[in-house]
Amino acid sequence: MEQPIDHSDPLNANSINATLLQRYFYSDRHVMMHEEMLPTYAFLCVGGEGPAMDKSVLVDSVHCTGDMLELAKRLDGKASVHLFSLEHRYYGESYPTFLDDQHGNSVPALATQNMKYLSSKQALADLANFVDKQLLPPPTKWVTFGGSYPGFLAAMARQLYPHIIHAAVSSSAPVHLLVDFTGYKERQAWDLQYETIGGSADCLKIVLDGHVELAAAIVADDDYQNVADMFGLCDASSLLSERNLGMFLGDGVVDIPAQNNDPSCQHGSVCNVRKVCDLLKEVQDSGASALESLARLSEQQQGFDCVDLDWNRTLEQLSDTAIEPYNWRSWLWQTCTEVGYYQTCEANSLCPFGRGYHLIDMDYEICQVAYGLSQEQVQQNVEDTSKFYGDIRQRATRVLSVNGDVDPWSVLAILESEDPLMPAHVVKGASHHFWTHPVKETDNQDIKDARDIIHLKVMEWLEQLGDEEVVVTTK
């Protein structure tokens, strides 16, 4: 459907030469055509950053299956449910088309001057306009669902547009905005010793000690070639760059799958925290050092391709205005102009990697080189966005916040609430919105319980009058 490129100027008084066609998905398989006495609901799976959606989003995907689609099944025979998913502007196939005013030639949507129309505020206005354009019988109640940044949007849609959004399920949503997000990697360290998912104090110690030994081998011993051989670097001289060291040591030489931890994964020998820790302890028990244990894990994770460690090339790629499958330029623009979320490894933090190597100035440099935004501008942008949305716990009702205690993003989420209209639930042993993923036989009881809590709470709220239905009378 066509959307205004700028919702603050819906009639295009500024004559912006651009068109935005926003992609959406719809399914009526839970619509009861001949049951006029049944209530009508509309469930909306909110799109966000990352790879493009496809038609599986309303069939079986990580986005909204376990919560939204399973609830629609549960309501069969009790209600008529329309299913929607709306792709976020500047992601997937929902990029605007810009033409220059002089010659009518196409101008890249990801040119910096055209990215000012990419924001969460514009995305939420898209959502409200989309809902308004669907000709569903009144009083259809709309519920938004989303995980991660889409979970943030699902919650804020209820906050900003309570007259059209009846309730929201906000899964793994980082609603507290922060520029220097040291807590992400600190939670990874916590996960490495979390026994529920197979971690231990010994496992964390191997990762910590290994990075200390690695930093010493590079900085104190100048042992570049040996380190490059151990960790499969394409070019040992890349370790001479301070920024390359920031990526290598500060972001970790191994992957700690905290955000995507799947206790039952079968797609690799080290695909979850338990398997990572088992391997590290097995290698060290054989007599290897912590550094050698990390090298063995790195080899298992990366395979046979060498690692090209090149900060300058990274900056070039992020400055490229060509649209690519993972939409990195779009998302990093939003971090620089709205939300921050920079996952640093500061010297005085509890980060499990090379402490003091990934500092916030690396992320500020991305904003400066890719978009021309200064450190001061980034800080002000995040502060302004935070003030705009405020504390949702004081501004909204009927928003359910669900988070996993393994998930590093839970550090910025709502984990506790005494307000029955703003409830919060923490799923023990769960990673990033794992309960929204497709239902599997291996799902543990905590995941099943989380889905039940979501379903029951939404059904309870659907029985309540909507904000637009409440009539205030005076005597």
Side-chain angles (χ1 to χ4, degrees), residues 299-443:
E299 181 183 10
Q300 292 272 342
Q301 290 181 330
Q302 73 185 50
F304 297 102
D305 294 333
C306 67
V307 177
D308 187 12
L309 199 63
D310 192 333
W311 174 256
N312 290 329
R313 184 175 299 174
T314 298
L315 292 177
E316 290 174 6
Q317 292 170 343
L318 296 176
S319 301
D320 191 341
T321 59
I323 295 172
E324 48 82 27
Y326 288 93
N327 306 284
W328 278 113
R329 183 165 168 82
S330 294
W331 177 240
L332 286 171
W333 165 266
Q334 289 195 260
T335 69
C336 295
T337 58
E338 291 194 287
V339 296
Y341 298 153
Y342 299 123
Q343 299 160 20
T344 56
C345 188
E346 304 282 1
N348 60 348
S349 72
L350 298 177
C351 169
F353 308 130
R355 294 177 185 174
Y357 282 93
H358 184 156
L359 304 179
I360 190 64
D361 64 313
M362 292 180 67
D363 302 283
Y364 287 141
E365 185 178 358
I366 291 175
C367 296
Q368 179 65 61
V369 172
Y371 313 108
L373 296 170
S374 68
Q375 171 181 332
E376 293 73 24
Q377 287 175 303
V378 174
Q379 292 171 340
Q380 190 62 54
N381 289 339
V382 176
E383 182 179 341
D384 290 345
T385 306
S386 187
K387 287 180 179 177
F388 175 81
Y389 290 114
D391 187 345
I392 189 172
R393 291 170 293 187
Q394 300 175 6
R395 297 187 177 188
T397 58
R398 290 202 294 263
V399 177
L400 171 60
S401 299
V402 187
N403 289 276
D405 66 354
V406 176
D407 182 16
W409 290 102
S410 68
V411 176
L412 300 179
I414 296 173
L415 303 179
E416 297 179 348
S417 175
E418 296 181 358
D419 184 348
L421 288 177
M422 291 292 293
H425 177 68
V426 175
V427 188
K428 185 178 180 180
S431 56
H432 203 47
H433 62 91
F434 198 82
W435 49 93
T436 73
H437 291 201
V439 175
K440 298 189 298 184
E441 291 183 0
T442 53
D443 290 337

Side-chain angles (χ1 to χ4, degrees), residues 172 183-194 197 199 254-263 265 270-277 301 343 352-353 403-411 427 429-435 437:
S172 300
Y184 186 96
K185 289 171 181 169
E186 290 181 331
R187 180 49 61 105
Q188 287 182 295
W190 186 85
D191 290 332
L192 284 170
Q193 58 183 338
Y194 187 18
I197 60 172
V254 293
D255 175 41
I256 307 301
Q259 179 172 326
N260 300 311
N261 189 66
D262 180 354
C265 68
V270 285
C271 56
N272 60 32
V273 170
R274 183 179 300 278
K275 292 183 177 183
V276 163
C277 288
Q301 290 181 330
Q343 299 160 20
F353 308 130
N403 289 276
D405 66 354
V406 176
D407 182 16
W409 290 102
S410 68
V411 176
V427 188
S431 56
H432 203 47
H433 62 91
F434 198 82
W435 49 93
H437 291 201

Side-chain angles (χ1 to χ4, degrees), residues 427-470:
V427 188
K428 185 178 180 180
S431 56
H432 203 47
H433 62 91
F434 198 82
W435 49 93
T436 73
H437 291 201
V439 175
K440 298 189 298 184
E441 291 183 0
T442 53
D443 290 337
N444 64 32
Q445 193 60 46
D446 293 296
I447 295 297
K448 295 175 182 177
D449 290 346
R451 289 174 179 144
D452 276 342
I453 288 169
I454 292 169
H455 298 166
L456 293 172
K457 180 56 67 175
V458 172
M459 287 192 289
E460 174 191 327
W461 284 341
L462 287 171
E463 294 293 323
Q464 299 176 3
L465 290 176
D467 295 58
E468 74 287 351
E469 300 174 276
V470 176

Side-chain angles (χ1 to χ4, degrees), residues 1-4 7-8 10 22 24 42 44-47 84-89 119-136 142-144 153-154 156-166:
M1 87 175 250
E2 186 167 359
Q3 293 276 15
H7 285 277
S8 66
Q22 187 171 27
Y24 70 93
L44 175 58
C45 182
V46 182
F84 295 91
S85 182
L86 183 64
E87 193 166 67
H88 197 297
R89 59 169 57 200
S119 71
S120 60
K121 303 178 192 69
Q122 294 282 4
L124 288 167
D126 286 338
L127 186 154
N129 190 42
F130 175 80
V131 170
D132 191 53
K133 293 292 192 295
Q134 306 309 309
L135 302 178
L136 298 182
W142 286 78
V143 182
T144 50
L153 294 176
M156 296 308 168
R158 168 63 185 159
Q159 174 178 307
L160 296 183
Y161 303 102
H163 58 293
I164 59 173
I165 303 301
H166 183 77

Side-chain angles (χ1 to χ4, degrees), residues 190-297:
W190 186 85
D191 290 332
L192 284 170
Q193 58 183 338
Y194 187 18
E195 294 182 358
T196 297
I197 60 172
S200 66
D202 289 341
C203 182
L204 173 60
K205 189 174 187 303
I206 295 171
V207 176
L208 286 170
D209 291 349
H211 280 87
V212 171
E213 293 171 19
L214 180 57
I218 297 171
V219 179
D221 302 335
D222 296 338
D223 198 3
Y224 303 116
Q225 189 59 58
N226 186 44
V227 168
D229 292 341
M230 291 180 73
F231 290 92
L233 301 184
C234 300
D235 181 4
S237 67
S238 64
L239 293 171
L240 295 170
S241 162
E242 180 181 345
R243 283 292 192 245
N244 290 346
L245 277 181
M247 290 195 296
F248 186 57
L249 286 170
D251 291 333
V253 296
V254 293
D255 175 41
I256 307 301
Q259 179 172 326
N260 300 311
N261 189 66
D262 180 354
S264 64
C265 68
Q266 300 296 328
H267 55 79
S269 59
V270 285
C271 56
N272 60 32
V273 170
R274 183 179 300 278
K275 292 183 177 183
V276 163
C277 288
D278 286 348
L279 177 66
L280 288 174
K281 288 185 286 184
E282 178 186 342
V283 175
Q284 190 174 64
D285 289 345
S286 70
S289 67
L291 175 56
E292 291 167 336
S293 300
L294 288 186
R296 179 75 67 82
L297 174 57

